[in-house]
């Protein structure tokens, strides 16, 4: 049985008492262990069950905030209909049946095509790297490449993309993210807070791209970093398995609080 630090337990107790609560989570590295091939990722069953149970509680909203495109996120996460979705680091959103799909301007579409060409040219000459297309961007994946090849590919891609005015480039774990829509997970959290009217937010992430999300948290919110690395999150757990314990404790505390 995993025992959570006392300060994190106290923070979850305060969070569970919020009138309206938003539980916003990154997927890869938080709900699901990191894997070499993105399509193979699946949430830990206990974490998925806890998220589903939280979504069923009164005045409790759940959301996934991911760098994945919405289509990819739905494929691997199989989210409940009640779970709100933010994809492509905030460029895409699903907030209900009436949510409008992302539509690029002609200028953005042209810029995206040029970014795709730039990254594809790098992939062709760096074995083990590959390109992922998203509605608002492209991603250079280097997890399957040797370290020196990966570093060279990232440098080459960064140089090529630096020649394109208006492209947002973000580093991640063995990825280089490119987007023609300038946004981040922090903006996604702010939008979800406004949409749900949440009085408090739990946000958990594992990557450098999640730091924008931690920066968007307010007093009374709880940020949890999953895994190693510098972070502004006040709390940390070692792995997705340990984060399951965070979700299960929050679920138990909120159920108990609402039963009073």
């Amino acid at each position: 049985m995993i025992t959570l630090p006392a300060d994190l337990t106290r923070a979850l107790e305060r969070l569970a008492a919020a009138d309206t609560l938003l539980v916003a989570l990154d997927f890869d590295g938080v709900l699901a262990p990191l894997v070499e091939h993105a399509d193979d990722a699946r949430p830990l069953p206990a974490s998925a069950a806890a998220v589903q149970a939280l979504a069923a509680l009164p005045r409790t909203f759940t959301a996934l905030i991911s760098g994945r495109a919405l289509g990819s996120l739905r494929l691997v996460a199989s989210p409940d209909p009640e779970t709100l979705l933010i994809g492509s680091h905030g460029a895409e959103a699903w907030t209900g049946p009436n949510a409008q799909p992302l539509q690029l301007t002609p200028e953005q579409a042209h810029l995206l095509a040029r970014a795709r060409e730039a990254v594809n040219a790098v992939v062709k000459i760096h074995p083990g790297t590959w390109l992922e297309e998203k509605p608002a961007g492209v991603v250079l994946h280097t997890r399957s490449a040797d370290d020196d090849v990966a570093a060279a590919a990232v440098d080459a891609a960064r140089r090529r993309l630096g020649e394109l005015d208006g492209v947002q480039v973000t580093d991640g774990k063995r990825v280089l993210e490119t987007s023609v829509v300038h946004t981040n997970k922090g903006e996604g959290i702010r939008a979800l807070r406004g949409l749900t009217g949440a009085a408090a937010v739990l946000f958990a992430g594992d990557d450098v791209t999640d730091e924008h999300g931690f920066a968007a948290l307010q007093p009374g919110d709880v940020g949890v970093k999953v895994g190693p690395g510098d972070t502004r999150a006040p709390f940390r757990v070692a792995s997705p398995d340990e984060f399951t314990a965070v979700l299960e404790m929050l679920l138990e505390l909120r159920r108990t609080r609402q039963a009073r």
Side-chain angles (χ1 to χ4, degrees):
M1 181 178 179
I2 296 173
T3 301
L4 297 178
D7 57 346
L8 177 53
T9 298
R10 289 191 294 269
L12 293 175
E13 290 172 346
R14 293 190 295 269
L15 197 68
D19 181 68
T20 304
L21 174 63
L22 170 63
V23 179
L25 310 170
D26 187 17
F27 179 75
D28 296 283
V30 175
L31 292 179
L34 294 174
V35 294
E36 183 171 349
H37 300 290
D39 288 346
D40 294 336
R42 293 295 183 274
L44 295 172
S47 287
V51 171
Q52 182 179 15
L54 281 163
L57 294 178
R59 303 184 308 282
T60 308
F61 295 88
T62 57
L64 300 182
I65 302 184
S66 175
R68 289 177 179 263
L70 285 185
S72 173
L73 184 58
R74 287 191 177 100
L75 175 67
V76 297
S78 300
D80 293 320
E82 296 83 3
T83 296
L84 305 171
L85 303 176
I86 299 289
S88 300
H89 298 284
E92 297 182 275
W94 186 88
T95 55
N98 296 323
Q100 295 297 314
L102 173 68
Q103 290 186 337
L104 299 181
T105 66
E107 293 77 13
Q108 288 173 325
H110 177 67
L111 185 60
L112 177 57
R114 295 182 63 194
R116 186 184 302 112
E117 291 174 357
V119 175
N120 193 47
V122 171
V123 167
K124 287 181 177 178
I125 58 174
H126 292 85
T129 66
W130 59 280
L131 178 150
E132 176 191 0
E133 296 192 30
K134 294 183 178 180
V138 292
V139 185
L140 171 66
H141 287 263
T142 65
R143 193 176 299 275
S144 299
D146 294 338
D147 289 348
D148 57 340
V149 175
V154 169
D155 289 344
R158 198 187 304 278
R159 286 195 300 271
R160 288 176 177 268
L161 293 167
E163 299 172 359
L164 304 180
D165 187 29
V167 169
Q168 176 177 285
V169 179
T170 306
D171 287 283
K173 290 183 178 178
R174 302 291 294 218
V175 298
L176 189 70
E177 299 265 358
T178 305
S179 178
V180 298
V181 176
H182 289 219
T183 187
N184 58 58
K185 292 182 180 181
E187 293 181 17
I189 287 177
R190 284 186 281 268
L192 289 173
R193 189 194 300 271
L195 176 70
T196 61
V201 176
L202 167 67
F203 175 64
D206 75 306
D207 206 343
V208 292
T209 57
D210 296 306
E211 293 304 310
H212 292 291
F214 294 131
L217 297 181
Q218 300 177 3
D221 296 340
V222 174
V224 180
K225 168 79 170 183
V226 181
D230 294 337
T231 185
R232 65 184 76 196
F235 304 103
R236 185 192 302 270
V237 296
S239 67
D241 289 289
E242 288 196 14
F243 185 68
T244 297
V246 174
L247 290 173
E248 291 179 335
M249 174 169 284
L250 178 60
L251 174 61
E252 179 182 355
L253 290 168
R254 190 146 175 87
R255 274 178 172 165
T256 302
R257 184 82 183 192
Q258 291 186 340
R260 293 177 182 174

